[in-house]
Amino acid sequence: MKVVAFNGSPRKDGNTSMLIRNVLGVLEALGIETETVQVGGKQLRGCVACFRCMENKNRHCAVDKDMLNDCIDRMLSADGIILGSPVYFSCMTPEIKALIDRAGMVSRANDMMFRRKVGAAVVAARRAGAVHTFDSINHFFTIGEMIIPGANYWNMGFGREKGEVENDAEGLGIMKTLGENMAWLLKKIAG
Ligand SMILES: Cc1cc2nc3c(=O)[nH]c(=O)nc-3n(C[C@H](O)[C@H](O)[C@H](O)COP(=O)(O)O)c2cc1C
């Protein structure tokens, strides 16, 4: 059983990364393999609306010049997917949006290929926009027939400078609960 997490912050070891690591730590302690993929700050362009994925139906984006198809392969090989993003102007980063738009369209072209995988959003913010970002990322999971575990709050942590989120005890507690519930759900689905 495996969970792949995508860090959409260009700050590789920043607050989003720390929140993700807290969830993955719980998953690993409960026997689930994890992997993190850095997408923030990487070449990952938006959807060009060519709709060739609808013709090709090969589980890949027709624009094969960046890391998108590698991300798709990692999503397909995992049972659970975490999309982590800092809040940028009250929403997700462009890299996470590009991943959602392109992987989401390829999924629709291929009979909802992420159906019944478990999905979770993780959000780091300084002050505002975390709920909006959390909701926006969740749209990817819900339209893709995926299953979302809850936590004891919406999955967010607060901090501005790198590492400040470690001072948000409530945020870290949410990540722990999310990890526990994600593991529980993954094991139930696996039967
Ligand atoms: C371009 C940019 C826009 C931002 N916009 C917001 C915002 O709208 N709301 C907010 O609370 N924080 C905002 N922030 C702050 C980050 O969300 C916050 O510092 C977060 O902890 C960064 O996570 P990271 O360390 O994983 O990059 C912004 C930061 C940047 C660089």
Side-chain angles (χ1 to χ4, degrees):
M1 215 174 289
K2 187 173 171 186
V3 170
V4 61
F6 295 88
N7 179 18
S9 170
R11 294 206 294 201
K12 196 168 161 287
D13 302 310
N15 293 320
T16 310
S17 164
M18 283 174 182
L19 292 171
I20 289 171
R21 281 212 301 268
N22 273 271
V23 183
L24 298 188
V26 175
L27 290 168
E28 283 161 16
L30 293 169
I32 293 166
E33 190 190 336
T34 72
E35 177 187 21
T36 305
V37 181
Q38 177 67 31
V39 293
K42 297 282 178 69
Q43 287 292 326
L44 196 54
R45 64 163 304 146
C47 178
V48 294
C50 67
F51 295 103
R52 277 185 287 161
C53 54
M54 296 290 173
E55 294 160 21
N56 296 340
K57 297 191 185 301
N58 62 358
R59 297 187 154 212
H60 278 148
C61 179
V63 179
D64 198 20
K65 293 198 171 94
D66 58 19
M67 67 186 296
L68 190 273
N69 284 328
D70 181 62
C71 293
I72 285 180
D73 288 341
R74 289 169 198 272
M75 289 164 121
L76 286 170
S77 71
D79 306 285
I81 298 165
I82 293 175
L83 297 183
S85 181
V87 175
Y88 276 15
F89 282 81
S90 221
C91 204
M92 68 190 82
T93 58
E95 294 91 337
I96 289 292
K97 187 67 167 81
L99 178 64
I100 283 178
D101 289 353
R102 290 170 67 195
M105 197 57 88
V106 172
S107 170
R108 302 188 77 70
N110 291 276
D111 190 30
M112 311 303 263
M113 64 191 191
F114 304 126
R115 178 186 290 124
R116 296 181 192 147
K117 290 186 187 291
V118 173
V122 166
V123 176
R126 179 183 75 83
R127 183 179 294 271
V131 168
H132 176 77
T133 305
F134 174 76
D135 292 347
S136 295
I137 294 174
N138 279 333
H139 291 154
F140 171 72
F141 303 133
T142 51
I143 199 172
E145 300 187 34
M146 294 175 66
I147 303 166
I148 302 172
N152 52 336
Y153 199 83
W154 305 297
N155 311 332
M156 63 184 69
F158 287 89
R160 182 173 63 182
E161 302 307 327
K162 267 189 180 181
E164 273 184 12
V165 83
E166 292 284 4
N167 303 323
D168 178 10
E170 185 177 358
L172 298 184
I174 297 163
M175 298 307 130
K176 179 170 180 287
T177 307
L178 174 63
E180 289 165 354
N181 290 345
M182 195 167 187
W184 182 90
L185 183 57
L186 284 162
K187 288 174 186 179
K188 286 285 177 194
I189 291 170

